[in-house]
Amino acid sequence: MLPPAGPARRVFTTALVVAVIAFAVAAGLAWVDRGARLQTTGNWLERIQQEAAAAAESLDADLRHLSGLADEIAADLESGELPLTRVEARLEALVEHHPYVFGVGVIFRPYAYAPDRRLYAPYIVKRNGVHRMVWVGDVYDYTLPEHDWYHQGTARPGWLEPFFGQASQAMLALYCTPFRLPGGEAGETAGTVCIDYSIEDVWALVGALDLGETGYAFVITDQGTFVSHPRRDYVRQGLTLYDIAERLGDPVLRRLAQRATDLRSGALAHSNELTGQDSRIFYGPITAPDWSLAVVAFTAEVPLDLSDHKRRQILIAIALITGATGLVVLLVAYRLDSSAVLWSGSLTVALLFLVGVVHLWTLEFAEAGRDPPEAVMLVDRAGIQSYLAGYAEEARLQRFDDLIELPTGVFIQAIRFQTAHDFVVTGYVWQRYTVPDHDDLQRGIFFPDAIPHEDIREELFRFREGDSEVVGWYFKTTLHQPFDYSRFPIDIKTLRLRLWHPDVAHHVVLVPELEAYRLIHPTALPGMEPGFRLPGWQLQRSFFAFRFHDYRSDLGIRGSARVGEFPELTYHLTLLRNITDAFFSNQIPLFVAAIMLFAMLMIDTREQDRASLYGFTTATVLATAAAIFFIILLAHIDVRRRYAVEEIMYLEYFYFITYFTIVAISINAFMLTALNDNRFFHYRDNLIPKLLFWPLLHGAFFVVTVYVFL
């Protein structure tokens, strides 16, 4: 049922068209935004899955080829085509034609080679890029029970669990196949042919995968033992994926271990409760040795265009509020003669704009959960090693000094803002030096952003712990960091504690000692005093990060890595301003002024009786407006003085809108008494300006919020 013909019908029709178009635009933008995110995420996951599959195929082909070379030697020994006197020459020819082979050897049972020689085991291994002959029997007695590789190799062909080879002095993936000699006893093997694939080559292959800044891959055997992992100690210690799953109490990793060791392929969604990272894990078999390759890709590194996403969300909010406003006007059109309906519609529209403002604030505060720009968040040891492996390779190509990793920890006790751009930090910092590798390194740390005469540091402890020397300092320092206050009071501040090692002559990269913290999840606030409070702020997250910085100088040291993008360790604190406190202290004058201005507007009248009752005159309105203006102006000046910023702050737009409102109320009072028979000002004794006051005021707040945050 349509409203009666006339103004009501026209208002209804216009509002209906606006609402339909606005809701259609909102739906379209939501569909585009969702599609863009899904497509980007899907393409990213598909690319990583394809890279993982290609790496698994490449590794499988290499291992099949190596095992085939060993099988050929065994077959030639059994057929007699390879005489025992030519074994060493055959091994030398093999590594000459296949230089990527790390090691190859023929290991004979005792006295199988010659009756007068108990152990005979020629083995050619690569050392410092050159193949050399090693006699395994001269290094150790390989027939002893503890040498499983020999006993398994003489029993059946196959790839063995990775181990540290004493003869090769390297971590090895070893394929062995037994052989018999012509004329030998039936059923008895004469020895085994073994060929090595260096674990370093596996690391190089999986490390070359493009998995983002901190994504990584690892390889496990059918027993779950690590063949390759960014945490190389996992491989050296012979740990399994089951061990790590049990240590972390992680059912997803346990399920991954079960599926991978069954040589299945697939994908798992994983959320690490300790680090707060969400990831996708792709896994698939490497069939030749019965291994599995798993790739961990962190969803935070999906290359989404977050600025476009935020822009679309703001446009969707605009469209929804416009459509909802159209619906309100559409309903009001049925009762344009009812003051109660008109006032209900006016306040509802004002409320819609207010909800829109709060929604945009929510979108802005969502920024606090994002990783810092131009930096890599460090919450996982494997991710750190994965990143540093790529950086170390790049540094090696540029002929920088060898990378020295120095574990560093931070514990913050107190923070206090001294000025708008300076803050005081007190706490503890420590470093772990490896002895004797780091004996020539100076013990110390400093903060490049510190104000020199306000930087206090004293050594608290120094002790030995195994092969490590741990040195700790207490510090109290004032750091200067320019902050952006353009969006005050919807503030998200990231305080950065930049950490340098004073020995710039060495290629020292500070890395966080994550093991020193019970929880490294950013929202668990690692490195912060329990119960920490900063008045006016909410501490959202704390975390370590590598911040990429090009110093554009080698600092006087030729060949210094700092001439390029150097990974500078920083400790980040994400703070959200307490919006309630900020608005109570800054918006109360504006809120009171708005109430007073609306009261002035409500007493504006042309009726002499009401005017005399309220004491309404144009001069009174102008005088009151002038008084309100000076009060608001003083509050505005105080805000500018406190934050000493050059740009216009978001809060200031509210002051500007209030100034304009003061002028508009003054003009309204003058126009109401100066003009005769004006529809806008005189309709039902100034009803239209009164109805528009709150919608226009909140609408202006919404418009400037869109302008600032879009």
Side-chain angles (χ1 to χ4, degrees):
M1 180 178 175
L2 296 176
R9 178 76 61 85
R10 290 194 295 272
V11 170
F12 176 89
T13 303
T14 303
L16 179 61
V17 172
V18 169
V20 170
I21 293 175
F23 285 131
V25 170
L29 287 171
W31 182 81
V32 170
D33 184 63
R34 181 177 180 274
R37 292 174 67 83
L38 289 177
Q39 182 177 3
T40 302
T41 303
N43 292 342
W44 178 73
L45 294 174
E46 182 180 0
R47 178 186 63 78
I48 289 177
Q49 196 167 10
Q50 289 175 349
E51 285 203 16
E57 290 177 4
S58 175
L59 185 57
D60 185 68
D62 290 347
L63 296 176
R64 285 184 184 278
H65 183 63
L66 285 179
S67 61
L69 295 175
D71 291 338
E72 287 179 8
I73 294 177
D76 290 346
L77 284 169
E78 291 186 354
S79 65
E81 292 185 18
L82 176 59
L84 298 185
T85 56
R86 296 289 301 165
V87 167
E88 296 175 29
R90 175 66 177 271
L91 297 179
E92 291 175 352
L94 186 146
V95 297
E96 182 179 351
H97 290 90
H98 305 282
Y100 55 84
V101 172
F102 185 79
V104 61
V106 180
I107 318 299
F108 285 82
R109 283 186 181 276
Y111 304 110
Y113 178 76
D116 59 346
R117 187 162 186 175
R118 179 175 179 270
L119 300 180
Y120 180 73
Y123 172 61
I124 296 182
V125 63
K126 184 182 293 185
R127 289 183 178 173
N128 300 320
V130 178
H131 285 94
R132 292 183 172 88
M133 181 69 76
V134 175
W135 300 94
V136 180
D138 295 340
V139 179
Y140 60 92
D141 187 349
Y142 52 80
T143 63
L144 295 177
E146 60 264 26
H147 300 298
D148 293 337
W149 66 269
Y150 167 75
H151 298 287
Q152 293 182 35
T154 54
R156 59 187 180 278
W159 288 89
L160 283 66
E161 294 288 293
F163 68 99
F164 183 80
Q166 296 181 24
S168 62
Q169 291 296 298
M171 288 297 300
L172 301 175
L174 189 66
Y175 174 83
C176 293
T177 183
F179 67 89
R180 296 173 177 81
L181 294 177
E185 295 184 13
E188 182 179 2
T189 59
T192 180
V193 179
C194 296
I195 195 163
D196 301 332
Y197 194 87
S198 172
I199 297 299
E200 291 287 346
D201 292 336
V202 181
W203 280 332
L205 178 65
V206 299
L209 295 174
D210 182 11
L211 305 175
E213 296 287 357
T214 57
Y216 61 92
F218 59 86
V219 178
I220 61 174
T221 69
D222 59 350
Q223 302 300 313
T225 306
F226 286 106
V227 178
S228 169
H229 194 280
R231 294 284 304 270
R232 299 195 174 193
D233 52 314
Y234 288 179
V235 180
R236 296 189 181 102
Q237 295 172 18
L239 295 179
T240 69
L241 185 55
Y242 291 103
D243 295 332
I244 303 304
E246 291 300 323
R247 180 185 299 178
L248 300 177
D250 194 322
V252 176
L253 289 184
R254 191 178 301 112
R255 189 159 61 250
L256 171 65
Q258 293 169 350
R259 294 183 181 181
T261 53
D262 288 340
L263 301 181
R264 290 193 280 173
S265 60
L268 289 171
H270 182 238
S271 180
N272 192 319
E273 295 182 0
L274 297 178
T275 66
Q277 292 179 303
D278 293 326
S279 61
R280 292 290 295 274
I281 305 177
F282 300 98
Y283 57 94
I286 304 171
T287 54
D290 290 341
W291 294 351
S292 288
L293 170 68
V295 170
V296 181
F298 297 107
T299 55
E301 295 183 353
V302 177
L304 297 172
D305 193 331
L306 298 178
S307 60
D308 279 353
H309 169 67
K310 178 182 174 183
R311 189 177 299 110
R312 284 191 290 265
Q313 290 295 312
I314 292 176
L315 293 177
I316 289 171
I318 294 172
L320 289 175
I321 290 173
T322 302
T325 301
L327 288 180
V328 172
V329 174
L330 182 148
L331 295 174
V332 170
Y334 284 96
R335 294 294 305 277
L336 291 178
D337 58 337
S338 171
S339 295
V341 171
L342 291 174
W343 277 110
S344 297
S346 172
L347 295 177
T348 302
V349 172
L351 182 62
L352 287 173
F353 284 123
L354 183 60
V355 170
V357 170
V358 174
H359 177 65
L360 296 189
W361 292 349
T362 304
L363 292 178
E364 185 65 18
F365 279 132
E367 299 279 338
R370 295 179 182 172
D371 290 354
E374 300 180 357
V376 175
M377 184 186 293
L378 307 174
V379 294
D380 179 78
R381 175 62 61 188
I384 295 174
Q385 296 302 323
S386 176
Y387 168 76
L388 286 180
Y391 171 76
E393 178 63 20
E394 184 178 342
R396 186 187 65 79
L397 294 176
Q398 298 184 46
R399 298 186 178 181
F400 293 143
D401 294 339
D402 290 340
L403 178 67
I404 301 174
E405 298 180 30
L406 197 57
T408 303
V410 173
F411 185 79
I412 303 297
Q413 287 190 302
I415 298 175
R416 175 176 57 86
F417 276 95
Q418 193 173 56
T419 68
H421 300 285
D422 297 331
F423 57 97
V424 181
V425 185
T426 59
Y428 303 92
V429 62
W430 66 90
Q431 292 182 325
R432 187 176 295 272
Y433 296 83
T434 302
V435 179
D437 297 345
H438 296 163
D439 284 353
D440 59 340
L441 281 183
Q442 177 183 346
R443 271 47 171 169
I445 195 167
F446 74 99
F447 312 115
D449 290 335
I451 298 175
H453 63 278
E454 298 182 22
D455 187 20
I456 301 172
R457 195 172 306 110
E458 61 180 81
E459 185 174 317
L460 283 183
F461 55 82
R462 181 189 294 245
F463 62 88
R464 287 290 296 271
E465 188 178 74
D467 61 350
S468 299
E469 181 182 29
V470 183
V471 186
W473 299 267
Y474 166 82
F475 69 90
K476 179 181 180 182
T477 185
T478 301
L479 303 177
H480 176 76
Q481 182 180 334
F483 291 112
D484 179 13
Y485 284 95
S486 62
R487 299 185 178 185
F488 174 81
I490 311 302
D491 276 8
I492 302 170
K493 293 287 181 283
T494 299
L495 308 186
R496 291 194 305 267
L497 181 62
R498 299 170 61 196
L499 303 167
W500 278 23
H501 190 269
D503 198 343
V504 294
H506 292 84
H507 188 185
V508 178
V509 174
L510 303 184
V511 298
E513 190 180 33
L514 301 182
E515 295 79 8
Y517 303 95
R518 185 179 304 170
L519 282 176
I520 200 63
H521 193 307
T523 58
L525 307 181
M528 294 301 301
E529 176 79 20
F532 174 86
R533 293 289 183 272
L534 184 60
W537 296 89
Q538 298 175 19
L539 183 55
Q540 187 79 2
R541 302 193 304 169
S542 64
F543 54 90
F544 289 95
F546 278 144
R547 179 171 173 263
F548 307 121
H549 196 77
D550 187 351
Y551 298 98
R552 301 182 182 179
S553 169
D554 59 11
L555 306 183
I557 303 170
R558 299 299 177 261
S560 170
R562 286 175 175 80
V563 77
E565 285 197 350
F566 182 76
E568 178 184 84
L569 183 64
T570 56
Y571 181 72
H572 289 244
L573 294 173
T574 303
L575 301 176
L576 272 65
R577 189 181 294 277
N578 189 328
I579 191 170
T580 304
D581 177 68
F583 266 86
F584 266 111
S585 59
N586 295 285
Q587 289 290 81
I588 283 182
L590 298 181
F591 177 74
V592 172
I595 294 293
M596 294 179 65
L597 291 172
F598 181 68
M600 290 168 56
L601 182 61
M602 290 301 293
I603 65 174
D604 287 355
T605 180
R606 300 189 72 191
E607 298 178 9
Q608 295 298 325
D609 293 340
R610 293 178 60 197
S612 60
L613 177 64
Y614 297 144
F616 166 71
T617 64
T618 303
T620 303
V621 171
L622 294 177
T624 306
I628 295 174
F629 169 76
F630 282 111
I631 294 172
I632 299 302
L633 181 62
L634 291 175
H636 187 180
I637 292 172
D638 181 63
V639 171
R640 294 288 301 181
R641 179 188 58 80
R642 274 186 288 150
Y643 295 99
V645 294
E646 298 180 0
E647 68 271 15
I648 296 176
M649 296 183 292
Y650 170 56
L651 179 66
E652 291 187 88
Y653 287 104
F654 288 73
Y655 284 93
F656 297 149
I657 292 169
T658 304
Y659 298 149
F660 180 80
T661 305
I662 292 172
V663 173
I665 294 298
S666 301
I667 293 174
N668 178 78
F670 177 78
M671 299 296 285
L672 184 63
T673 57
L675 294 179
N676 294 320
D677 199 21
N678 183 282
R679 290 186 179 181
F680 183 82
F681 292 101
H682 297 159
Y683 176 74
R684 295 170 64 175
D685 199 23
N686 206 31
L687 180 62
I688 295 177
K690 295 174 182 177
L691 291 173
L692 292 178
F693 179 85
W694 292 114
L696 288 180
L697 183 65
H698 289 86
F701 292 160
F702 180 71
V703 169
V704 299
T705 303
V706 170
Y707 171 74
V708 171
F709 297 134
L710 185 61

